[in-house]
């Protein structure tokens, strides 16, 4: 009797499916490593913000895109990580220990918040996480002896092993290393049985439970991992802006984070990065466009929110898979050209599943 499972298994555990992935991802990493010498300091700072938001986006993508649990208070986890990092670093605790504690504390809070997910879902889960976000924001404002309240809290530069990362380039490389590590961790997690359980819960809780998946355990685990990544992103965010105040972690920030993963493309690792790029680049484009718009429109209050809302509606109606879905269609078009069919890239109709049948 012959078994040929070994070859298939080896193929399955490779991070890169083919040589093209190795080439393009390798080229991307080389470009990111060379970025400090290729772009101006301002754009390097914006790229650093993209990396930070990508870490948070990976966690929210795991929760919303792969497990199907939406959070409207995710900025609270960002704030917990940011304030934990700031307080510990300001107390003289080395950066590695502080960021580990920021991630662990956020994960613990995420597990507590994940408990309502065991009994509620859909809009009711969104309301529960929204309420949690308000509670955390109010707690940051009222606990003045620790957080500084509305007066804010200054954050020292990250320091470890007698080395202080006080330059833009050094902090950028730190964020790049942590982002690569977080990405590889999520990629491997989604290839494991735990990742497949998350996807099964997203597709159908009843079917997942019938296959022996412990819903309570995996939902809580998803919240914990998502919150941990948000906490790590918050720790880096605190060092980048070097000043924290409660209004930075409001409901508006939570909506921006959710908008990031929806427009980036739910259910895809790439979508977290594309959404982070959108979140950082779009305000820059709006600021540039104001100079070419009529004064009544360009100086209007809430212009950015209006643009975001219109773009979200456009993506929901015409490209539900987000920016990553659009890229997949463009790539397929280029691969098949000129042998594509006329209606191949037409949006297919989809229907919302009833909560009763999930």
């Amino acid at each position: 009797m012959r078994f040929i499972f070994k070859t298939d298994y080896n193929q399955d555990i490779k991070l890169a499916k083919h040589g093209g992935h190795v080439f393009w991802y390798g080229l991307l990493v080389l470009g990111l490593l060379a970025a400090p010498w290729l772009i101006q300091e301002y754009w390097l700072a914006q790229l650093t913000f993209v990396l930070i938001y990508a870490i948070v986006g990976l966690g929210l993508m795991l929760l919303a895109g792969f497990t199907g649990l939406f959070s409207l208070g995710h900025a609270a986890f960002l704030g917990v990580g940011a304030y934990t990092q700031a307080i510990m670093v300001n107390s003289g605790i080395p950066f590695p220990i502080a960021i580990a504690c920021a991630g662990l504390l956020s994960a613990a809070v995420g597990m507590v918040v994940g408990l309502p997910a065991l009994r509620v879902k859909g809009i009711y889960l969104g309301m529960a996480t929204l309420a949690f976000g308000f509670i955390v924001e109010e707690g940051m404002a009222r606990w003045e002896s620790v957080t500084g309240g509305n007066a804010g809290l200054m954050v020292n530069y990250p320091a470890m092993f007698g080395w202080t990362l006080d330059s833009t380039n050094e902090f950028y490389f730190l964020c790049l290393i942590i982002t690569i590590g977080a990405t590889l961790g999520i990629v491997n997690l989604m290839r494991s049985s735990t990742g497949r359980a998350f996807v099964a819960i997203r597709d159908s809780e009843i079917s997942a439970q019938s296959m022996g998946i412990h819903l309570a355990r995996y939902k809580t685990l998803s919240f914990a991992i998502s919150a941990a990544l948000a906490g790590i992103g918050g720790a880096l965010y605190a060092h980048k802006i070097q000043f924290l105040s409660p209004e930075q972690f409001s409901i508006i920030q939570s909506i921006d984070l959710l908008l990031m993963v929806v427009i980036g493309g739910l259910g895809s690792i790439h979508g977290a990065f594309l959404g982070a790029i959108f979140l950082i680049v779009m305000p820059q484009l709006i600021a540039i466009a104001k100079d070419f718009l009529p004064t009544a429109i360009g100086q209007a209050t809430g212009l950015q929110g209006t643009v975001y809302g219109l773009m979200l509606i456009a993506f929901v109606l015409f490209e539900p898979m987000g920016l990553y879905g659009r890229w997949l269609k463009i790539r397929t078009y280029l691969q098949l050209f000129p042998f594509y069919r006329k209606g191949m890239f037409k949006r297919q109709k989809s229907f919302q599943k009833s909560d009763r049948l999930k």
Side-chain angles (χ1 to χ4, degrees):
M1 182 180 296
R2 297 178 60 190
F3 297 92
I4 58 174
F5 301 119
K6 184 177 180 180
T7 302
D8 295 336
Y9 177 76
N10 290 336
Q11 289 290 334
D12 185 61
I13 64 175
K14 290 181 179 179
L15 288 175
K17 295 181 180 179
H18 51 75
H21 282 182
V22 176
F23 174 78
W24 288 110
Y25 287 126
L27 189 63
L28 175 61
V29 172
L30 289 176
L32 291 173
L33 290 174
W37 297 278
L38 297 177
I39 59 179
Q40 298 176 356
E41 185 174 353
Y42 171 79
W43 293 111
L44 184 65
Q46 299 305 307
L47 183 56
T48 304
F49 275 117
V50 169
L51 296 176
I52 293 172
Y53 276 109
I55 295 173
V56 182
L58 287 171
L60 189 54
M61 186 66 74
L62 176 68
L63 183 68
F66 292 114
T67 317
L69 303 173
F70 283 88
S71 171
L72 291 177
H74 221 65
F77 302 125
L78 187 74
V80 169
Y83 274 100
T84 301
Q85 181 75 12
I87 293 168
M88 297 187 74
V89 169
N90 290 352
S91 301
I93 297 175
F95 172 82
I97 298 177
I99 195 171
C101 291
L104 290 175
L105 181 59
S106 297
V109 175
M111 292 182 67
V112 174
V113 177
L115 295 177
L118 309 181
R119 294 184 176 274
V120 298
K121 55 186 177 180
I123 189 173
Y124 302 105
L125 177 60
M127 293 171 63
T129 55
L130 178 64
F132 168 73
F134 284 127
I135 292 172
V136 171
E137 183 184 359
E138 190 67 18
M140 293 174 184
R142 300 295 181 182
W143 201 2
E144 296 182 1
S145 60
V146 176
T147 65
N150 291 319
L153 179 67
M154 297 297 297
V155 186
N156 294 335
Y157 289 110
M160 51 185 170
F161 313 117
W163 176 32
T164 302
L165 286 73
D166 54 358
S167 72
T168 303
N169 290 3
E170 292 172 343
F171 188 72
Y172 165 76
F173 284 119
L174 175 65
C175 293
L176 179 60
I177 292 171
I178 295 177
T179 303
I180 292 175
T183 304
L184 294 177
I186 292 295
V187 169
N188 280 283
L189 176 65
M190 295 312 302
R191 293 148 59 91
S192 67
S193 58
T194 301
R196 290 191 289 270
F198 290 155
V199 175
I201 292 173
R202 178 197 66 186
D203 293 342
S204 174
E205 291 188 8
I206 294 177
S207 299
Q209 193 170 22
S210 68
M211 296 175 65
I213 295 175
H214 197 291
L215 297 184
R217 179 187 306 162
Y218 284 104
K219 282 185 176 182
T220 306
L221 180 61
S222 179
F223 258 102
I225 297 174
S226 178
L229 287 174
I232 292 173
L236 297 174
Y237 180 82
H239 285 298
K240 183 59 183 173
I241 61 176
Q242 296 187 309
F243 179 80
L244 298 178
S245 60
E247 62 267 16
Q248 293 170 339
F249 309 103
S250 63
I251 179 61
I252 301 300
Q253 179 75 286
S254 296
I255 293 175
D256 284 345
L257 294 177
L258 190 59
L259 183 73
M260 174 178 68
V261 295
V262 171
I263 290 183
L266 281 174
S268 66
I269 302 296
H270 296 81
F273 288 88
L274 294 174
I277 294 172
F278 168 85
L279 199 62
I280 298 301
V281 172
M282 200 61 198
Q284 312 290 335
L285 296 178
I286 293 175
I288 295 173
K290 286 182 178 180
D291 297 333
F292 301 95
L293 294 174
T295 305
I297 299 177
Q299 302 301 324
T301 304
L303 177 62
Q304 181 172 319
T306 302
V307 173
Y308 277 15
L310 292 175
M311 292 197 67
L312 180 60
I313 293 173
F315 271 98
V316 170
L317 291 177
F318 303 109
E319 191 51 82
M321 292 181 64
L323 293 171
Y324 183 63
R326 176 53 52 181
W327 157 245
L328 290 179
K329 292 180 179 179
I330 294 174
R331 187 184 66 181
T332 304
Y333 174 86
L334 295 175
Q335 288 175 341
L336 297 179
F337 183 84
F339 302 106
Y340 63 91
R341 297 177 60 182
K342 184 176 180 181
M344 182 176 295
F345 302 100
K346 185 177 180 181
R347 180 182 181 274
Q348 300 296 319
K349 292 183 179 180
S350 60
F351 301 91
Q352 180 68 35
K353 293 182 180 179
S354 168
D355 286 339
R356 181 176 59 83
L357 301 177
K358 288 186 177 180

